[in-house]
Amino acid sequence: MAWRMSFDYDEVHDVVTATFEDCVLNNALDVARWRTEVEGHLSRYPSKVDLLINLDGLVVKYTAGRVFGRERTEVLARYTQRSFRYGGDEMTKMFVSTSGVINGAAVNVYNSRDEALKALLADRAGGNSSPSGKKAV
């Protein structure tokens, strides 16, 4: 399998879904590649998006965790209005949670896309610019 990511727009729900395939982050160079590619995809949208992130296929190793947390916070703050996650292995979810606490960001991890979408739509309907009034990352 080869490293691949896609960002697909769901017009019905006005949300972008990020999907990863074999994106294994072992070190800072892998994280830099991840950031560059994610920014390349998200910068194509005319404004900040609501983003669903499928964590399946994105693997954050211990050796990349701290750098990943910082970089994800910055890139998602720049390009997203709110973001919700689903799936993923335990290590990756741990780094998402840990970096959320360290950076004061919402974590929003759900078991399925349907659950994450439902939570995002409820948050949007509640008038929040981002989950819990915090910058979504």
Side-chain angles (χ1 to χ4, degrees):
M1 286 175 72
W3 171 299
R4 192 174 92 74
M5 61 179 70
S6 63
F7 290 71
D8 301 305
Y9 179 66
D10 173 350
E11 190 172 337
V12 172
H13 298 104
D14 189 26
V15 65
V16 175
T17 300
T19 305
F20 301 93
E21 182 179 328
D22 202 31
C23 293
V24 179
L25 309 181
N26 289 301
N27 54 45
L29 287 175
D30 293 336
V31 174
R33 177 182 177 189
W34 172 87
R35 179 177 180 154
T36 298
E37 290 186 30
V38 169
E39 285 182 321
H41 287 282
L42 292 177
S43 67
R44 294 180 183 143
Y45 296 97
S47 60
K48 288 185 175 187
V49 300
D50 284 347
L51 184 65
L52 293 176
I53 303 167
N54 182 351
L55 294 174
D56 294 331
L58 176 65
V59 178
V60 180
K61 299 292 188 175
Y62 178 78
T63 50
R66 184 177 298 261
V67 175
F68 171 74
R70 184 179 61 247
E71 296 297 311
R72 86 169 183 101
T73 298
E74 291 175 10
V75 76
L76 293 177
R78 182 174 179 188
Y79 293 101
T80 66
Q81 184 70 22
R82 58 180 62 76
S83 61
F84 287 72
R85 289 143 205 80
Y86 61 96
D89 66 39
E90 293 305 313
M91 179 74 73
T92 299
K93 288 191 285 192
M94 180 196 69
F95 284 120
V96 167
S97 296
T98 301
S99 65
V101 170
I102 290 170
N103 296 298
V107 176
N108 303 323
V109 178
Y110 295 86
N111 291 322
S112 69
R113 183 184 189 280
D114 288 341
E115 290 177 10
L117 177 60
K118 184 177 178 180
L120 184 147
L121 295 175
D123 187 71
R124 185 189 291 163
N128 294 326
S129 62
S130 61
S132 306
K134 296 181 181 179
K135 187 179 284 184
V137 290

